[in-house]
Amino acid sequence: MAVASDFVVVSNRLPVDRTDDETEPWRRSPGGLVTAVDPVMRRNAGAWVGWPGQPDVTVEPFDFDGLRLVPVTLSRDDVQLYYEGFSNDTIWPLYHDVIAAPTYHRAWWDAYVRVNRRFAEAASEVAADNATVWVHDYQLQLVPQMLRELRPDVTIGYFHHIPFPAYGIYAQLPWRKQVLEGLLGADVIGFQRVADAGNFARAVRRQLGYDTKAGSIAVPTADGGTRTAIAKAYPISIDASVYEELARRPDIRARAAEIRESLGNPKAILLGVDRLDYTKGIGHRLKAYGELLTDGRLSVHDVTLVQVASPSRERVQTYMQLRDEIELAVGRINGDADELGTTAIQYLHHSYPREEMVALYLAADVMLVTALRDGMNLVAKEYVASRVDGGGALVLSEFTGAADELTQAISVNPHDIAGLKDAIMQAIEMPQKERDRRMRALRRRVRENDVARWSQRFLTDLDSARRSRS
Ligand code: GDG
């Protein structure tokens, strides 16, 4: 059995990837969550429970880079039914306002219950008496309640990284009651936006009939009493200082200049960086940009759009179809607009190291974030943090969590193609003074609410919950 820990993080993926190198079989996978909880993990002899990323791999708990890692085994079937199926083809589209149609399969749900129980058991085994356990995201919504049943002594937090939909949409879910009950096993349930927390409270009232007041939910207990669960917004962020440091590095600045040069030093470089996902509104962005070129409001001699679309969920049918659609659109626009030696869209279906991402952020005059629905959107914050030169303009969809905070961006409704076209033009033509003023305000905001503040806010509330229990 693993050594007991006072602080346990539970997420679908462990913060490491398996390598082929026998001498170094694990490599840290970069990610916001790791940075966010790393200091707390170290202070509290923390453990991390998660899937190592490969099916049918069984590994005993091990220490890596100062972290105690507790791998949960998933079979090939589990990955297909629980992860690709229920998590990514039921919950993901449903919670993103049914942009794509969710699929409801009872066998997927059964696998979701089974795998959630496995995660809850692993967490229960590793948690010390009265430990704090922080569960993350939509793949594990049943873990809080399952864990509470196994270990009534622990304090449980849950953070939801994606949107929580309005009741009329949520109500479609055949297992809507079970999921709410699962989440309510937590003492603190964190959301990205105030609206998400409100949607959750409303679903709880409508489906379970519990009283909710200003983010406090009275959850009935087995002894006939009630306990309080808090449902509140904790907008996630990035480690802004890391991006600032990278953006100041001479080699990365030189790389940014090289990127501009290689694109023919156009008057304006537009940039999109997204996982290739239908929530990100890449198609709407391409449509608006393509029309600006055909209308003659933009010319390929003056502008280039760089679109990084990092590969994602490639075994899920909807994602295969999306890739075809996006690549067809890119091909059409380039075919119509390109001339020899110029290109309208540089489309890159790759993942890049973070250094290269920062060089791209620095090279881009305009960042386009046109998601149709997005929990937060960290790319918007990374772009802002990277602009240590004060330059650049951000076009930001109002349907992202980031829009609540980044109010000095050019706000767009990506469904309104005419409005999106105008917003792109506004960003390209924005006078320098206004650009500077907006970027200063954006940078201030991202610096103030960075990831350390986010985790501190959440964990402070969780600590109050722990103290009020004892
Ligand atoms: C979920 C929610 C919420 C992307 N391509 C590359 C790369 N990335 C990095 C970005 C950014 C991250 O991946 C993507 O984060 P987002 O927030 O934009 O979106 P999701 O992946 O959908 O994340 C979202 C988030 O959780 C956190 O709560 O904001 O709403 O959907 O950090 O930079 N990084 C590198 N190479 C790439 O090619 N290195």
Side-chain angles (χ1 to χ4, degrees):
M1 181 172 146
V3 183
S5 297
D6 289 322
F7 184 74
V8 181
V9 168
V10 189
S11 68
N12 175 60
R13 281 285 273 112
L14 280 175
V16 290
D17 290 321
R18 191 80 188 244
T19 69
D20 295 330
D21 182 348
E22 277 181 20
T23 52
E24 279 183 52
W26 300 99
R27 180 184 44 219
R28 249 185 121 117
S29 54
L33 192 54
V34 195
T35 333
V37 298
D38 200 62
V40 198
M41 297 283 280
R42 285 173 200 279
R43 271 203 307 277
N44 296 283
W48 195 310
V49 176
W51 175 45
Q54 285 177 348
D56 297 311
V57 168
T58 300
V59 191
E60 286 303 308
F62 61 101
D63 291 324
F64 179 83
D65 197 12
L67 297 175
R68 180 92 187 138
L69 301 182
V70 184
V72 174
T73 306
L74 296 187
S75 68
R76 211 163 279 280
D77 257 13
D78 293 333
V79 175
Q80 218 181 344
L81 306 176
Y82 142 82
Y83 180 66
E84 291 164 0
F86 197 79
S87 299
N88 289 337
D89 212 5
T90 305
I91 294 292
W92 180 270
L94 180 71
Y95 284 23
H96 287 89
D97 289 356
V98 297
I99 297 166
T103 309
Y104 303 114
H105 281 316
R106 283 163 287 180
W108 289 2
W109 165 254
D110 293 343
Y112 188 76
V113 175
R114 187 174 70 229
V115 171
N116 269 246
R117 181 153 295 123
R118 205 175 301 152
F119 275 86
E121 283 164 359
S124 140
E125 275 170 32
V126 76
D129 286 350
N130 303 310
T132 295
V133 180
W134 193 1
V135 182
H136 285 267
D137 226 1
Y138 64 101
Q139 302 93 350
L140 302 176
Q141 294 173 102
L142 308 179
V143 169
Q145 187 196 29
M146 289 171 169
L147 180 60
R148 181 171 289 277
E149 279 164 12
L150 293 165
R151 290 290 305 274
D153 59 302
V154 303
T155 304
I156 305 168
Y158 170 89
F159 186 76
H160 193 75
H161 290 254
I162 68 173
F164 196 90
Y167 180 70
I169 290 174
Y170 181 74
Q172 281 189 16
L173 185 66
W175 307 279
R176 57 199 183 182
K177 276 203 170 76
Q178 292 95 312
V179 167
L180 294 174
E181 282 163 354
L183 291 168
L184 285 169
D187 296 284
V188 178
I189 307 156
F191 295 93
Q192 302 278 26
R193 310 177 91 161
V194 174
D196 298 316
N199 288 343
F200 174 72
R202 173 136 195 268
V204 168
R205 281 196 302 275
R206 293 288 300 265
Q207 281 299 316
L208 304 176
Y210 300 167
D211 284 340
T212 72
K213 206 159 120 202
S216 282
I217 302 174
V219 185
T221 51
D223 61 7
T226 57
R227 61 176 185 85
T228 302
I230 305 287
K232 204 169 125 180
Y234 302 86
I236 201 168
S237 194
I238 57 166
D239 189 341
S241 63
V242 166
Y243 285 86
E244 288 177 357
E245 272 165 38
L246 287 171
R248 287 203 174 94
R249 254 172 52 183
D251 57 327
I252 291 178
R253 302 186 73 81
R255 176 63 190 143
E258 192 179 89
I259 290 170
R260 288 196 73 94
E261 184 76 26
S262 72
L263 294 170
N265 270 321
K267 283 194 190 130
I269 295 176
L270 314 181
L271 175 65
V273 172
D274 314 81
R275 272 188 312 98
L276 187 44
D277 194 296
Y278 50 82
T279 59
K280 304 289 181 185
I282 304 170
H284 292 63
R285 186 182 314 163
L286 295 178
K287 185 164 177 57
Y289 177 64
E291 284 190 17
L292 286 171
L293 290 168
T294 29
D295 296 349
R297 288 170 80 185
L298 289 178
S299 149
V300 277
H301 298 289
D302 298 331
V303 288
T304 298
L305 167 64
V306 177
Q307 176 63 55
V308 176
S310 40
S312 183
R313 305 179 190 170
E314 292 185 287
R315 288 154 48 95
V316 177
Q317 186 61 37
T318 330
Y319 288 76
M320 296 177 195
Q321 215 176 312
L322 172 78
R323 181 170 176 197
D324 288 347
E325 283 165 21
I326 296 297
E327 294 181 356
L328 182 70
V330 170
R332 285 234 168 105
I333 294 170
N334 279 346
D336 285 340
D338 285 4
E339 291 172 16
L340 283 175
T342 67
T343 190
I345 307 169
Q346 278 270 323
Y347 171 79
L348 305 157
H349 184 247
H350 302 295
S351 273
Y352 290 97
R354 190 142 69 169
E355 289 73 7
E356 183 74 354
M357 303 292 279
V358 173
L360 277 166
Y361 291 149
L362 278 172
D365 302 287
V366 176
M367 182 82 213
L368 298 174
V369 177
T370 58
L372 305 176
R373 190 42 94 192
D374 212 334
M376 178 52 63
N377 195 289
L378 294 179
V379 166
K381 293 188 170 181
E382 291 166 4
Y383 178 68
V384 167
S386 301
R387 296 315 300 242
V388 287
D389 57 344
L394 174 64
V395 173
L396 180 62
S397 161
E398 62 187 80
F399 299 111
T400 61
D404 282 2
E405 293 177 84
L406 303 183
T407 51
Q408 287 298 316
I410 299 172
S411 172
V412 286
N413 167 7
H415 297 281
D416 169 10
I417 300 297
L420 183 50
K421 287 163 71 178
D422 290 345
I424 295 174
M425 291 310 295
Q426 187 193 342
I428 292 173
E429 290 166 352
M430 188 179 282
Q432 192 59 41
K433 244 181 148 171
E434 186 182 349
R435 223 169 235 266
D436 293 350
R437 180 182 58 72
R438 285 181 183 250
M439 192 47 81
R440 254 199 315 278
L442 290 168
R443 292 181 53 70
R444 202 176 313 125
R445 177 66 209 177
V446 172
R447 243 191 266 126
E448 275 164 13
N449 183 35
D450 72 352
V451 75
R453 170 116 193 279
W454 167 76
S455 64
Q456 192 202 359
R457 280 191 62 222
F458 187 93
L459 293 170
T460 303
D461 283 359
L462 200 52
D463 200 43
S464 311
R466 190 173 59 77
R467 277 186 275 112
S468 66
R469 282 157 55 98
S470 49

